[in-house]
Each structure stands twice: as structure tokens, then as C-alpha cells.
Amino acid sequence: MIMYTFFENNADSLSNKTLIPFSTHAGSGLAGFDKKLAEAIPNSTIAKGIAIAGDDAQNNQDSARNSIESWLSELGF
Ligand SMILES: Cc1cc2nc3c(=O)[nH]c(=O)nc-3n(C[C@H](O)[C@H](O)[C@H](O)COP(=O)(O)O)c2cc1C
């Protein structure tokens, strides 16, 4: 909820930008927050996001790193 409040309070400064959602999680993935972001900041481009399990970030770092590298490559970075 704190992030949704942040989006709402900063809609003007986040407008006309490309926004790239990412998070860690414990099972919920992005939990639809990429869609909420698109709704909160309609004049923005929402790039494909990624959600990494917090457990993988901590205990399976090679896998997490591979996922992030593939994602960044897909985004053109
Ligand atoms: C108050 C609280 C609520 C959470 N709610 C969720 C949730 O709804 N879905 C989910 O996948 N993970 C949830 N988590 C798990 C955290 O997102 C997860 O531990 C975190 O992404 C791992 O990163 P960290 O090591 O930086 O905490 C919650 C964690 C906390 C502390």
C-alpha cells in the first residue's frame, strides 16, 4: 500500500517516463502492481517487470542472477 500511495502522490513526476517494475516476493510475484502502476500513471510506458523470490535472492543467487540478466537483456540493457 505504501507504494500505491507513492504512485498516487507522485503521478505528475512519474508521467511521461518509462517505468520498470521489479520486486522481491514470497509467493505473490508482482501481485498485479505493474497493472496498478499503469492505472495510477496513465501517461507512462510500463516495461516488462520482474519478481524474484526473496528466498532465491538470498539462497539461490546464481538462478536469481540469470533471471535478472535475461530480463535486462530482453529490455535491451
Ligand atoms: C509485512 C509483510 C508483508 C508481506 N506480504 C507479502 C505478500 O503479500 N506477498 C508476498 O509474496 N510476499 C510478502 N512478504 C514477503 C516479502 O515480500 C519477502 O520477504 C521479501 O520480498 C524478501 O525480500 P527481503 O529479504 O528484502 O525481505 C511480506 C513481508 C512482510 C514483512
Side-chain angles (χ1 to χ4, degrees):
M1 294 314 298
I2 195 170
M3 292 306 294
Y4 296 154
T5 302
F6 177 84
F7 301 152
E8 285 167 16
N9 289 349
N10 294 279
D12 285 346
S13 53
L14 291 170
S15 287
N16 303 308
K17 293 187 178 356
T18 298
L19 306 174
I20 307 176
F22 62 93
S23 77
T24 55
H25 69 103
S28 300
L30 285 177
F33 105 80
D34 46 347
K35 292 175 188 65
K36 296 258 190 193
L37 192 54
E39 286 166 21
I41 324 286
N43 293 324
S44 64
T45 301
I46 311 296
K48 182 188 174 188
I50 192 171
I52 297 287
D55 187 53
D56 286 344
Q58 200 156 28
N59 302 314
N60 200 358
Q61 294 186 353
D62 286 345
S63 166
R65 189 175 291 108
N66 282 341
S67 299
I68 289 168
E69 284 175 357
S70 301
W71 169 63
L72 290 176
S73 162
E74 212 177 313
L75 290 179
F77 291 106

